Amino acid sequence: MKRRFLSYLLIALFSCCVWVGLPLMAQSQSPRVSYSASLNANEIVPSPVNTGASGEVGAVLIGDRLVVRGGFRNLSSQLRDYATDPLNPPNPNITSGIHLHRGAANENGPFQFALSVNLEPGLLSGSFKGETKLNQEQIQALTSGKMYVDLHTKANRAGELRGILKPV
């Protein structure tokens, strides 16, 4: 299972670099910077949760465009559904249980953008992806280790997995 998951990560990183990066290289001389994170329960703030879940994420920043790909497995419950279990007050931009936040490792930071999710049968494992244009403040946060992926489930509404994006 771990070998298959590592394969997903390698495919995700490869597809970020090839699928997105190569076509853009012909159009732009923007530098490309790759980031990755291991998603785990020990990074949940304010305190870690008890779960057997894990995940990986890879990202590529090309100029101001961020492309994110990742996967997860063995969640304790299904992803949080913000349509039926919204924040108070609701945030219509949070459309999935996996999203990017701006903030340091020891703090909860503001939501930045939601990632699209593809669930495997059983609904406790799957992959996610997304891309967005970052502003200067977001780029600064990313390059200084203050951007993280957070995965929220029904059992762990505040977060089950989390990982700070770091340069590869």
Side-chain angles (χ1 to χ4, degrees):
M1 185 75 154
K2 194 170 192 177
R3 176 180 268 169
R4 183 176 76 166
F5 192 70
L6 185 55
S7 297
Y8 288 148
L9 177 61
L10 293 174
I11 289 168
L13 287 172
F14 179 76
S15 65
C16 280
C17 294
V18 173
W19 179 73
V20 174
L22 291 180
L24 289 178
M25 286 181 65
Q27 301 171 6
S28 169
Q29 297 301 318
S30 296
R32 295 183 320 167
V33 181
S34 297
Y35 297 85
S36 69
S38 181
L39 302 175
N40 64 74
N42 293 331
E43 293 190 30
I44 297 296
V45 174
S47 59
V49 298
N50 185 16
T51 181
S54 61
E56 297 290 334
V57 61
V60 177
L61 180 65
I62 306 164
D64 62 359
R65 184 173 170 209
L66 183 67
V67 178
V68 180
R69 301 282 186 268
F72 57 93
R73 66 178 181 274
N74 301 326
L75 297 178
S76 64
S77 63
Q78 293 180 12
L79 288 172
R80 183 175 177 182
D81 181 353
Y82 285 87
T84 59
D85 183 15
L87 295 173
N88 188 9
N91 182 339
N93 296 317
I94 300 179
T95 56
S96 79
I98 305 175
H99 36 269
L100 206 65
H101 289 262
R102 191 179 72 241
N106 61 349
E107 66 183 14
N108 286 316
F111 165 85
Q112 300 301 293
F113 76 95
L115 298 162
S116 300
V117 179
N118 183 27
L119 294 169
E120 292 181 5
L123 308 178
L124 301 179
S125 297
S127 61
F128 56 89
K129 65 181 181 176
E131 58 184 89
T132 191
K133 184 177 179 177
L134 300 181
N135 61 37
Q136 286 300 73
E137 183 180 10
Q138 292 167 321
I139 292 171
Q140 177 61 36
L142 177 65
T143 59
S144 62
K146 294 182 179 174
M147 190 77 74
Y148 63 92
V149 173
D150 208 358
L151 186 149
H152 303 264
T153 61
K154 290 180 179 183
N156 293 292
R157 295 173 68 242
E160 182 161 334
L161 296 175
R162 176 175 161 152
I164 296 280
L165 291 169
K166 299 176 184 171
V168 177

